[in-house]
Amino acid sequence: MDYKKLIEETTNKLNDYSFDDELYSGIYAKAKERLDSAYVEGIRAVNDTYKAERRKAIGDNALETKSLQQELASKGLALSGESAMLSLNQSMALRNTVADIARAAIQSKHELVSGYNKNLTELEKEQADRKIDVITKDKEALGDRLAHLEKLQADKEKWQADYALELLKEENRVNEAALSKDNTEDINGGFPVFKPGTTPSQMADKIMASCGLVKKKYEDEVVIYSAFANDKIRKAVVQEACIMGLDPEYLKNVIYVLMGHGFDGDIDLDIACGKPLKWIYGAYDTAYDEEYHRLLEKGFTQNDAGQDAKRYAKKKMYEFMDTLNLSDYEKEKINDYLWIDP
């Protein structure tokens, strides 16, 4: 499975996340439509009640006024001042009653508006909360998927690194076997360890020669003088330990011999012989090989393909290193020990 492609697709979805709120907008629109309809019905009911009560108040006032006028007439007071006062009082009473009915209608409408606004606000908040909840869960699911895919990719790269290192080690073991028949092999922490047939002293001579260190005319033996030379020796020792899978005890004796030539001996054998360094170099070697052949197929020259593949492989190597949860000390040492040219 192409985990890298899936990781890229998931990362893009997470970085460019978009939420299709058509469903929630539709639900909100229907709910708002019901709320609007209830509000309109409420206003209509208030208006109808107001009109009915106003008509009733006018009718009741007219009947009461007529009854009182008839009573005055029976007493011969139809044209008196009392009759005039009655009409005035009844008119004022009607105005007050109608005003009370109007105030009640206004209060009812105010309550309807307040209730409508409150319900609308709650509806909008509920819609927003639901969207946020769905968006949060969507992003969490994408994040979980991304983490899972990255773990699967890291596991795959570890396996590839193991496989690449074992191929490289086997090639070196075959070469060593051609020089000596005394090779032995043991299993340590899941990785085979290699004990060359050559003596630690011979291995130390080989390492110094690979670093361009030779005996001067005035010297009895090769001497490691400078910090630069020490660093070259350190990287060469770690390279042998990693690529050939040298036995730590054998390697310790090689370092003792080199210290007799002036080497500072500053090598952490747990890191030099540990799995993380093997994985990291294996990741570099695998990425380099894949990119180099890809570029050759695209028409690059061997030199250009090699340079570009080296840059690509180093980038992938450091990306892979970040997935191993190494301590700052381990990262510092591994960076010091890596022998890959800039």
Side-chain angles (χ1 to χ4, degrees), residues 1-4 6 149 152-153 156:
M1 186 175 289
D2 190 348
Y3 294 120
K4 290 182 180 178
L6 292 174
L149 289 170
L152 292 175
Q153 176 64 21
K156 178 183 176 183

Side-chain angles (χ1 to χ4, degrees), residues 107-161:
Q107 180 61 31
S108 295
K109 287 181 180 180
H110 174 72
E111 290 172 357
L112 280 172
V113 171
S114 296
Y116 173 81
N117 290 335
K118 180 175 178 291
N119 291 334
L120 185 61
T121 299
E122 289 176 352
L123 183 62
E124 290 172 343
K125 184 179 182 302
E126 182 182 357
Q127 183 200 27
D129 288 344
R130 284 191 180 184
K131 286 182 181 180
I132 291 171
D133 185 53
V134 171
I135 290 170
T136 300
K137 287 180 178 177
D138 279 355
K139 288 189 173 182
E140 285 177 352
L142 284 171
D144 291 343
R145 174 172 170 75
L146 181 60
H148 180 62
L149 289 170
E150 287 175 340
K151 182 180 183 304
L152 292 175
Q153 176 64 21
D155 290 343
K156 178 183 176 183
E157 288 176 351
K158 285 180 183 178
W159 176 86
Q160 288 176 327

Side-chain angles (χ1 to χ4, degrees), residues 62-79:
L63 288 174
E64 185 179 5
T65 300
K66 183 177 179 181
S67 175
L68 291 172
Q69 285 177 341
Q70 287 176 346
E71 184 178 345
L72 288 174
S74 67
K75 295 178 180 180
L77 300 173
L79 300 177

Side-chain angles (χ1 to χ4, degrees), residues 72-105:
L72 288 174
S74 67
K75 295 178 180 180
L77 300 173
L79 300 177
S80 67
E82 289 185 35
S83 177
M85 184 59 70
L86 171 66
S87 296
L88 180 60
N89 289 339
Q90 286 298 102
S91 177
M92 289 180 63
L94 177 61
R95 282 200 299 272
N96 290 336
T97 300
V98 170
D100 289 341
I101 293 172
R103 279 194 292 271

Side-chain angles (χ1 to χ4, degrees), residues 207-221:
I207 289 172
M208 287 187 291
S210 71
C211 294
L213 297 173
V214 295
K215 183 173 65 174
K216 303 292 192 300
K217 290 181 180 180
Y218 54 85
E219 296 173 341
D220 294 330
E221 59 183 15

Side-chain angles (χ1 to χ4, degrees), residues 25 34 80 87 199 287:
S25 294
R34 290 194 295 271
S80 67
S87 296
T199 66

